[in-house]
Structures are given as C-alpha cells and as structure tokens.
Amino acid sequence: MADGHDMGERAKFREMLEGTKEDWDIIAANSKAFNKGLAKRVLDHLRLLDGDFGGFPIDRLEHSLQTATRAHRDGRDEEYVVCALLHDIGDTLGSYNHPDVAAAILKPFVSEANHWMVANHGAFQGYYFFHHLGLDRNLREKFKDSPHYEYCAQFCHLYDQTAFDPEYKSEPLEFFVPMVERVFSKPKNSMYLKAMEE
C-alpha cells in the first residue's frame, strides 16, 4: 500500500465498457497514491546511469549532475535545474531517442520552453560533435524559427556540452532530491489533471 500499488479494493469490470463511477473512483484513488512516489521512481531510474560511461570521460550520472550543478550555480530556477538533471535520463531505454524519453517524463511538470529544450537538446548538442561522425552538425538549424531556439542553444552551450570534466566538483544527487520532489509534486499539463486533483 505504501507505494500505491494496491490499496486493497479493486474495480470490478472485465472490460472498460462495463466500468462504473465506483470502479473509476477506486482506480483514481490508487493513482493518486501511486503518483506520490513518482519523484522517487524517476530518481531511481536516473541512478541507472551511475557507472555507465559509454566511452565518455565521466559516467552518465556524473554528466547529469554536472549539467544540473552548473545550471544551479548559474542561478537558474528549480524547474530548469531539474530539467538539466534529467535531460539524459532516457539514455538507458531510449538509446536512439533519449531526448524524447526525458521530455515525455518532464512534460506534465514543466513550462513549454523547458519541455522544448529537453525534447530538442539532442539536435542542438550535435553541433559540438556530429561532424566527427559524418552527420550534419547544423541539424539544429531546422528549428531556427522556434521561439525556443536560443534558449535550447544556450542550455547546450553553457551546461550540457561543458559537463564532461572529471575534475569538476558537482553537487551530489541528494542535493537535487528535494528539487525533483517539488517539481514532480505539481503537474501543470496533463489530460488527467482535473481527475487527479485532491
């Protein structure tokens, strides 16, 4: 029960066409309890990046911590810092589209600009290395008409592409836990938002 998986009572339907208001009240109550553990589950998944170097000078968790630490020390707001921390969380399950995974996780909780930044940072980060792999380093130019172009370019230039320094002293993950908990406690955008309100 503590993690919200099973509060005891369950819906009675065998297919959704049979569902009643009572059934959906049970499901909604379980969802509310389960959603309270979302920040912890996200952080547990982020920890999977610990020890995953992929050939980089530092592991992917340290890269995430460096990116977030740099943004925090530069005075960025909490939501931005959490986006910086989680921008590569998709590396484990979305090896071919990691920005999409991170953006999907963050979308209900962040501004349009921050969501766009996370969703598109892969193309913008490519400016710094795509040409070494035979790819178009200017792929980001297809987004030049977006109002968030400079915002994303700045994120990659100031925080993401600089965050591979083995000598840099990052804040530990525990430092960011309260920030992640606060950001994930207040969804802003979700089709389920009205139903999930307490």
Side-chain angles (χ1 to χ4, degrees):
M1 166 145 167
D3 62 4
H5 277 101
D6 188 1
M7 293 177 61
E9 195 175 6
R10 295 185 187 177
K12 306 286 189 277
F13 61 78
R14 292 166 296 170
E15 57 182 74
M16 286 187 172
L17 284 171
E18 300 171 353
T20 65
K21 167 115 172 60
E22 291 75 25
D23 288 328
W24 287 101
D25 285 346
I26 292 166
I27 292 166
N30 275 269
S31 293
K32 288 175 186 175
F34 184 67
N35 290 344
K36 289 181 179 172
L38 180 58
K40 181 187 179 312
R41 292 191 302 277
V42 168
L43 290 162
D44 286 347
H45 193 84
L46 184 67
R47 287 183 182 96
L48 296 177
L49 302 180
D50 190 11
D52 180 1
F53 285 83
F56 288 97
I58 59 175
D59 70 32
R60 287 181 162 103
L61 179 59
E62 178 56 29
H63 168 67
S64 299
L65 294 172
Q66 274 193 35
T67 306
T69 299
R70 290 171 187 278
H72 173 72
R73 290 178 182 164
D74 203 24
R76 296 294 178 160
D77 67 37
E78 192 164 270
E79 182 181 296
Y80 188 103
V81 171
V82 169
C83 287
L85 179 69
L86 300 178
H87 76 285
D88 282 346
I89 195 171
D91 278 347
T92 53
L93 293 174
S95 301
Y96 297 97
N97 66 331
H98 80 274
D100 298 327
V101 175
I105 292 167
L106 286 159
K107 185 176 182 177
F109 304 97
V110 300
S111 69
E112 179 185 335
N114 283 334
H115 177 259
W116 198 95
M117 174 183 79
V118 173
N120 293 289
H121 82 271
F124 282 71
Q125 187 79 331
Y127 178 79
Y128 301 97
F129 70 93
F130 277 0
H131 54 294
H132 296 302
L133 301 174
L135 302 171
D136 180 8
R137 75 180 300 192
N138 293 309
L139 181 63
R140 67 185 188 175
E141 291 306 304
K142 73 179 186 176
F143 300 109
K144 65 181 182 205
D145 294 331
S146 169
H148 308 303
Y149 179 94
E150 288 301 328
Y151 192 70
C152 188
Q154 185 182 67
F155 166 74
C156 288
H157 185 71
L158 294 178
Y159 311 121
D160 197 1
Q161 68 88 23
T162 61
F164 295 94
D165 181 356
E167 306 301 318
Y168 187 80
K169 301 298 181 209
S170 298
E171 298 292 347
L173 183 55
E174 293 68 36
F175 177 82
F176 298 104
V177 167
M179 297 183 198
V180 174
E181 289 173 342
R182 284 189 292 269
V183 168
F184 278 82
S185 71
K186 298 178 219 136
K188 299 176 178 181
N189 314 296
S190 170
M191 70 175 97
Y192 304 111
L193 198 57
K194 186 171 185 229
M196 291 294 107
E197 289 172 351
E198 305 256 356

